[in-house]
Amino acid sequence: MSWDVAIERARSSIMPKTYDALARYRYLQDLRREVRKAKEEVVRNLDFYIEEFRKSVERIGGRFYLAGDGREAADAAAKIVGRGKVVVMGKNNVANETGLHKRLEEEGNEVWETDLGAFLVQLSGEEGSHIIAPAIHLTREQAAELLREKLGIAVPPDPVAIAQRVREFLREKFMKADVGITGANALAADTGAVVLVENEANIRLTSAFPPVHIVYDGVEKIVPTLIHALYVASVQAAYAGLYPPTYINVSAGPSSTADIEMHRVSPAQGPKEYHVVLVDNGRRAAARDPALWEALLCIRCGRCHLHCPVYRALGRGFGEPPYTGPMGVMWTAVTRGIEAAGPHALKCVHAGNCKEVCPMDIDIPQVIHEIKNRYLKNKT
Ligand code: SF4
């Protein structure tokens, strides 16, 4: 009963906001076409853009790491973090994909998710169920019960009260944090900047408050320029039903000041270290694949989920978390292979809604059809 209630509450809240933003801000249609072109350019020349991005990160005083698989990525981040630290994290599907949270805890670190949904999922000990709303499967009653049971915090089943109590709890963690880890909505090859879009301000605090900022994401998030990265943030927010977003954050290197004799020194009030860990984990092979390459254009707006009848029926059972729903079936194939994605592809009923609503015009049903074919062919 709770999944049906939660998903219908979420749909009726977010869908009108998406349609309203798209009708009000017509330029978003041009931006989404620009973003598709820019992302296609990068997918076709992925190694070139990874190298351009690396050079830019180093030019602005950051450190760059390229990991072949999830384990290598989590190890690289764990080495930067060290042991016995307090780590705050922004919502990050690649951290989930690669088991980063657990890996950091194995090193004796105290790790806190700071996105409200991801925080609730952390308390529950379960997997998230949606790429931008990981706790979409929880009702307000269940969220309040989690706070009571796991943290001893008594709160009524009211979203305002729950958000306020979590804010109070996390405030102290931000103050104590040694390291902040975020993902990326987009990474600009020309400047080495990361662009992140949000409403909660937890990403702003995570990336600016601790002395070390680690950006941890996939190589497909690279776009040619900072302007393209800002376009990605705008389109992602609009198609997620959150336009205008409350915050768009740009980070490009450690904090610094030149207020004394125009001599630039670092750090100032923000981080003194800026690290970017990018993971391949199947992405470069997918970029060369005649069907899967299109999955790399996804900007993680989560719109296809809400329009998909199979996701609405099965939730986390359609795709492998963190990659659920129509985009999740494609991304399960990218990161875990056809064998893992095949059983999920077979559940697809090819309603086609996902293709119609996708801002990147990804032919999702065709990609899923191809995954199905390859999976069944492997079985015969
Ligand atoms: S596949 Fe398209 S609709 Fe689905 S999350 Fe990605 S960009 Fe959004």
Side-chain angles (χ1 to χ4, degrees):
M1 129 32 195
S2 66
W3 167 251
D4 296 343
V5 173
I7 188 73
E8 280 320 308
R9 281 179 184 168
R11 271 167 55 81
S12 57
S13 158
I14 209 74
M15 285 166 96
K17 292 191 181 112
T18 309
Y19 286 118
D20 184 57
L22 297 181
R24 191 182 298 269
Y25 305 106
R26 306 297 300 179
Y27 58 84
L28 288 163
Q29 297 301 324
D30 294 333
L31 292 194
R32 75 176 180 87
R33 288 186 201 102
E34 283 300 317
V35 170
R36 168 147 182 148
K37 263 196 268 169
K39 288 185 74 75
E40 268 192 44
E41 159 68 17
V42 172
V43 171
R44 288 209 185 94
N45 304 285
L46 193 50
D47 288 335
F48 169 80
Y49 279 100
I50 292 171
E51 184 55 15
E52 286 300 292
F53 180 68
R54 178 191 69 74
K55 286 191 266 183
S56 296
V57 168
E58 291 175 355
R59 195 170 56 242
I60 59 173
R63 303 265 323 255
F64 176 84
Y65 312 76
L66 178 62
D69 59 23
R71 193 194 171 111
E72 244 181 76
D75 283 350
K79 204 165 160 197
I80 301 163
V81 171
R83 297 182 64 83
K85 304 283 177 53
V86 176
V87 181
V88 286
M89 298 185 60
K91 183 173 58 209
N92 187 330
N93 290 306
V94 175
N96 295 338
E97 173 192 327
T98 59
L100 178 62
H101 193 123
K102 188 162 166 278
R103 177 74 185 81
L104 295 176
E105 285 183 336
E106 282 166 7
E107 297 293 328
N109 297 299
E110 180 186 336
V111 186
W112 290 102
E113 298 289 342
T114 63
D115 169 86
L116 176 55
F119 177 79
L120 293 169
V121 168
Q122 176 180 0
L123 292 185
S124 75
E126 295 180 337
E127 305 260 28
S129 49
H130 185 278
I131 47 162
I132 59 164
I136 200 171
H137 57 287
L138 295 174
T139 59
R140 61 190 71 188
E141 292 80 7
Q142 289 170 317
E145 178 55 21
L146 266 177
L147 288 186
R148 192 198 59 73
E149 187 192 329
K150 303 289 181 180
L151 298 175
I153 296 174
V155 62
D158 164 30
V160 177
I162 293 168
Q164 178 58 31
R165 294 311 305 273
V166 173
R167 174 191 165 106
E168 288 160 14
F169 179 86
L170 286 177
R171 207 34 60 128
E172 183 222 340
K173 307 300 176 193
F174 282 120
M175 298 291 287
K176 281 180 16 191
D178 301 291
V179 182
I181 302 179
T182 66
N185 285 97
L187 300 159
D190 63 340
T191 52
V194 55
V195 171
L196 283 151
V197 60
E198 61 160 337
N199 295 293
E200 294 186 23
N202 67 306
I203 289 177
R204 187 155 280 208
L205 293 174
T206 299
S207 60
F209 221 64
V212 177
H213 177 199
I214 303 175
V215 179
Y216 189 89
D217 217 302
V219 291
E220 85 287 0
K221 293 290 178 71
I222 298 172
V223 289
T225 70
L226 180 52
I227 297 302
H228 291 117
L230 293 166
Y231 287 178
V232 173
S234 302
V235 176
Q236 194 274 352
Y239 280 78
L242 305 165
Y243 196 86
T246 313
Y247 305 102
I248 292 181
N249 304 293
V250 179
S251 297
S255 68
S256 67
T257 175
D259 280 358
I260 301 172
E261 297 180 356
M262 300 295 275
H263 179 66
R264 187 151 294 280
V265 294
S266 176
Q269 297 293 333
K272 65 179 182 212
E273 292 179 29
Y274 177 68
H275 302 263
V276 184
V277 178
L278 295 192
V279 64
D280 175 352
N281 205 26
R283 290 160 172 84
R284 282 194 285 189
R288 296 187 295 271
D289 186 289
L292 289 181
W293 73 272
E294 240 190 319
L296 303 187
L297 306 179
C298 171
I299 56 166
R300 313 287 200 269
C301 68
R303 196 154 183 242
C304 53
H305 295 68
L306 301 180
H307 290 262
C308 170
V310 180
Y311 177 75
R312 278 172 10 223
L314 301 180
R316 279 180 295 193
F318 189 36
E320 293 285 335
Y323 301 123
T324 61
M327 70 72 67
V329 177
M330 300 191 295
W331 270 85
T332 300
V334 171
T335 56
R336 297 181 183 223
I338 296 295
E339 207 42 40
H344 298 289
L346 292 176
K347 298 170 194 165
C348 174
V349 296
H350 292 273
N353 304 3
C354 51
K355 181 184 173 188
E356 275 177 37
V357 299
C358 175
M360 293 298 99
D361 291 328
I362 300 171
D363 194 344
I364 306 168
Q366 183 53 38
V367 179
I368 293 179
H369 181 67
E370 182 61 27
I371 294 167
K372 236 183 227 184
N373 275 349
R374 291 185 198 176
Y375 177 69
L376 292 174
K377 212 165 157 197
N378 290 347
K379 297 275 157 218
T380 54

